[in-house]
Amino acid sequence: MTFEAVIGLEIHAQLSTASKLFCRASTQGGAPNTQVSPVSLGLPGALPVLNKEAVRLAIMAGLAVKGRIQERSVFARKNYFYPDLPKGYQISQFEYPICLGGEIVLPVSQKTIRITRIHMEEDAGKLNHIGADGIAGATGSVVDLNRAGVPLIEVVSEPDIRTPQEAREYMERVHELFVFIGVCDGDLDKGSFRCDANVSIRPIGETAFGTRTEVKNLNSFRSVERAITYEIKRQIQVVQSGDVVRQYTMNYDDATGQTTPLRSKENAHDYRYFPDPDLKPLVVTSDQIAAIAQKMGELPDDMALRYQRDLALPEHDIMVYRQSPALYRFFEKARSFLQVATPGDMSKWVVGELSALMKEQSVDLNDKLATELARLIDVCKEGTISTQMIKDILPQIINGKTVAQALESGGGQISNQDDLMTVVAAVMADNPDVVAKIKNGKVASANFLMGQVMKQTQGRAKPDTVRDLILHACQNV
Ligand code: ADP
Ligand code: MG
């Protein structure tokens, strides 16, 4: 019998707010238990106050996945005990979440994964185990409540995913989208973006779903793919051995790539959800939603379409902008200053040299740099400098020089006519056939000679001077 997998993901994304969901304690972390307040400590009498910015970001996330923002949503208490949860309940949304519906289209297959809902909730604290990496073998555990109350959204997908690769692509796409619109910093290492994978199998052809397990706390794209791959294999073995899959919550160990049962899965009613009496229902008006939509800016898919259609940018450039909103915004700004060159001329340098330099040094992508970069690309287009000179000057304008200053201080460019003429003469002597063509009116052949001059000068010759010299000399041969 052959099986197929059925997979649904629950993604937790931390909203990029300065303060927590229900109090003014900072979300920035620090020494253990320094970013806390009576509310995040769960002290008696402390009352939660909803963070307006978190609501705005959650609405943006909902709009970005094309979900329906709910004008009325309700915070509910999810009751359970764990030492990282001082109140004894987590404030979440249950029956009435902030957003219903939505979808994500996978990049290659164009397959649509439907989204069930997005709800807002607070994060719990963190246990640090002493004497061992995990809880197993630890001699003790200490609690750090800096994360307690940090705002999250949970994005629940329909069970539309069929393979571990699709699950990874889906997670990557949601990540890219949220980082692009600025609702989440996307830092996987810090736990800002993580997911639980619900996995079941069924014989191919079967329409009913099988019993699922839920693999907890997957915090990288790779681990999502690996954990699901392992879990599917494990379930198939269970079924083939004549047993049945049990509804379990599973742990995933990235070191071994294996999933192991953590506990038999709890059901929603076990949590005794009820509306939090300390918080009024959250009401947002359609005008407020429209205002947030209007301010949100362009979504990556729309950007991609526009860049393809209007700017004819290559796929690769578009992919880089999808994944680097800072570079995208900088490019948008810088290209608006171009006067001669095309956006395509500039984009090459932004996704190439500039982004390479950004990996080596910190680069302030400010307006001055945008202006100077446009100037630099224009000057090259005009033929005043070679592309090699762009390479030389770019680091200088990053460090605060203007293009004019860089050119003035020489910057390695050879513009002296006598110096250049020596090279031009040598190149012409080596290529008499080309010289003859130019003489006979085939001016375009000058490009070949220019290329040779550039080669010999390591690109430092001033292109328009070289051209003039060649054409002039050919007339006089
Ligand atoms: P819970 O809150 O108990 O985790 P939900 O009904 O909210 O349960 O479902 C959580 C996730 O499980 C969703 O992403 C959903 O798509 C997925 N899911 C539900 N049934 C199955 C199944 N049989 N196999 C795989 N995934 C499933
Ligand atoms: Mg769940």
Side-chain angles (χ1 to χ4, degrees):
M1 202 177 344
T2 43
F3 294 89
E4 74 170 350
V6 171
I7 302 156
L9 294 190
E10 294 164 273
I11 290 178
H12 296 267
Q14 179 177 338
L15 297 171
S16 298
T17 57
S19 57
K20 293 184 179 180
L21 187 52
F22 298 112
C23 67
R24 287 163 63 181
S26 166
T27 55
Q28 297 311 300
N33 299 307
T34 54
Q35 314 297 340
V36 291
S37 75
V39 171
S40 45
L41 292 172
L43 298 185
L47 288 172
V49 178
L50 180 59
N51 182 336
K52 194 171 169 185
E53 176 66 1
V55 175
R56 189 180 74 87
L57 296 177
I59 290 174
M60 277 172 68
L63 292 170
V65 301
K66 311 207 186 309
R68 302 183 304 278
I69 306 303
Q70 304 300 294
E71 292 184 22
R72 182 177 180 278
S73 62
V74 175
F75 287 98
R77 293 185 179 181
K78 180 181 183 180
N79 299 281
Y80 66 93
F81 169 79
Y82 203 64
D84 64 9
L85 189 71
K87 296 194 301 299
Y89 59 85
Q90 175 193 26
I91 306 178
S92 181
Q93 294 184 315
F94 183 57
E95 272 181 288
Y96 303 101
I98 185 89
C99 173
L100 287 172
E103 63 177 45
I104 289 287
V105 179
L106 300 184
V108 183
S109 61
Q110 295 293 306
K111 176 173 170 175
T112 298
I113 308 298
R114 290 168 300 156
I115 286 169
T116 316
R117 55 188 264 147
I118 299 179
H119 60 258
M120 303 178 69
E121 62 186 28
E122 55 177 352
D123 207 350
K126 186 172 187 292
L127 288 186
N128 292 311
H129 305 296
I130 299 167
D133 268 353
I135 196 164
T139 54
S141 300
V142 288
V143 67
D144 175 7
L145 294 174
N146 283 351
R147 282 199 72 86
V150 161
L152 307 176
I153 44 174
E154 178 172 333
V155 183
V156 182
S157 87
E158 289 290 308
D160 287 347
I161 301 165
R162 291 290 172 270
T163 66
Q165 294 73 30
E166 275 182 12
R168 180 192 181 128
E169 273 179 46
Y170 168 80
M171 187 180 173
E172 285 173 342
R173 210 54 164 187
V174 176
H175 180 266
E176 177 191 285
L177 182 58
F178 288 177
V179 173
F180 194 90
I181 62 171
V183 300
C184 173
D185 71 16
D187 193 332
L188 295 139
D189 295 333
K190 290 208 194 96
S192 297
F193 195 89
R194 54 192 198 258
C195 87
D196 306 334
N198 296 268
V199 182
S200 64
I201 56 162
R202 63 183 174 190
I204 289 194
E206 171 69 61
T207 50
F209 290 148
T211 303
R212 72 179 146 126
T213 58
E214 180 171 352
V215 188
K216 281 297 199 189
N217 276 323
L218 302 167
N219 55 13
S220 74
F221 303 125
R222 178 172 167 269
S223 62
V224 164
E225 193 173 342
R226 281 178 83 207
I228 295 174
T229 304
Y230 182 88
E231 181 57 18
I232 293 171
K233 273 200 198 123
R234 189 193 67 82
Q235 290 188 12
I236 291 176
Q237 271 165 13
V238 167
V239 172
Q240 283 176 339
S241 73
D243 205 349
V244 291
V245 174
R246 271 164 244 278
Q247 191 178 335
Y248 258 79
T249 296
M250 310 291 289
N251 197 14
Y252 170 69
D253 181 359
D254 204 26
T256 61
Q258 298 182 348
T259 59
T260 44
L262 199 62
R263 55 178 184 260
S264 69
K265 190 171 163 31
E266 63 292 339
N267 281 310
H269 62 249
D270 296 328
Y271 287 113
R272 298 295 189 270
Y273 278 99
F274 66 90
D276 192 316
D278 288 341
L279 288 156
K280 286 196 289 189
L282 168 58
V283 175
V284 287
T285 65
S286 53
D287 284 352
Q288 286 171 319
I289 299 168
I292 292 169
Q294 217 212 328
K295 271 217 196 127
M296 186 161 72
E298 191 176 40
L299 296 176
D301 282 349
D302 299 326
M303 175 270 289
L305 210 65
R306 190 167 60 85
Y307 280 4
Q308 234 163 34
R309 197 188 47 208
D310 301 348
L311 308 187
L313 293 193
E315 263 317 297
H316 171 76
D317 292 19
I318 294 172
M319 191 195 69
V320 172
Y321 293 129
R322 272 185 179 281
Q323 289 168 5
S324 173
L327 219 51
Y328 152 74
R329 276 188 278 276
F330 176 74
F331 171 66
E332 275 294 297
K333 170 70 84 176
R335 80 183 187 86
S336 72
F337 297 126
L338 285 175
Q339 287 176 4
V340 191
T342 67
D345 294 331
M346 171 179 272
S347 183
K348 254 200 307 258
W349 291 96
V350 173
V351 306
E353 203 71 9
L354 177 62
S355 87
L357 285 167
M358 284 168 69
K359 292 186 181 105
E360 288 164 18
Q361 66 174 108
S362 82
V363 176
D364 187 1
L365 296 172
N366 56 28
D367 286 7
K368 184 184 174 206
L369 183 60
T371 324
E372 291 305 318
L373 180 67
R375 180 89 202 103
L376 187 60
I377 306 295
D378 272 345
V379 166
C380 178
K381 188 74 171 186
E382 285 164 342
T384 311
I385 60 164
S386 65
T387 51
Q388 175 59 43
M389 294 295 299
I390 298 188
K391 251 191 192 165
D392 292 347
I393 294 177
L394 188 58
Q396 301 181 41
I397 62 173
I398 286 174
N399 293 324
K401 269 197 189 167
T402 63
V403 173
Q405 285 165 343
L407 284 174
E408 234 166 66
S409 64
Q413 166 142 294
I414 311 169
S415 56
N416 180 299
Q417 296 217 357
D418 294 338
D419 294 348
L420 289 178
M421 196 53 219
T422 319
V423 188
V424 168
V427 165
M428 283 174 61
D430 286 347
N431 298 280
D433 47 334
V434 182
V435 172
K437 277 189 199 158
I438 301 172
K439 272 187 73 179
N440 293 329
K442 211 167 164 240
V443 178
S445 295
N447 288 338
F448 175 79
L449 297 184
M450 281 183 73
Q452 296 302 305
V453 173
M454 284 300 173
K455 217 166 160 185
Q456 300 217 0
T457 58
Q458 279 93 45
R460 290 195 162 66
K462 192 178 172 198
D464 52 357
T465 309
V466 174
R467 172 178 288 275
D468 287 349
L469 287 173
I470 291 171
L471 293 179
H472 193 253
C474 283
Q475 279 163 19
N476 297 333
V477 172

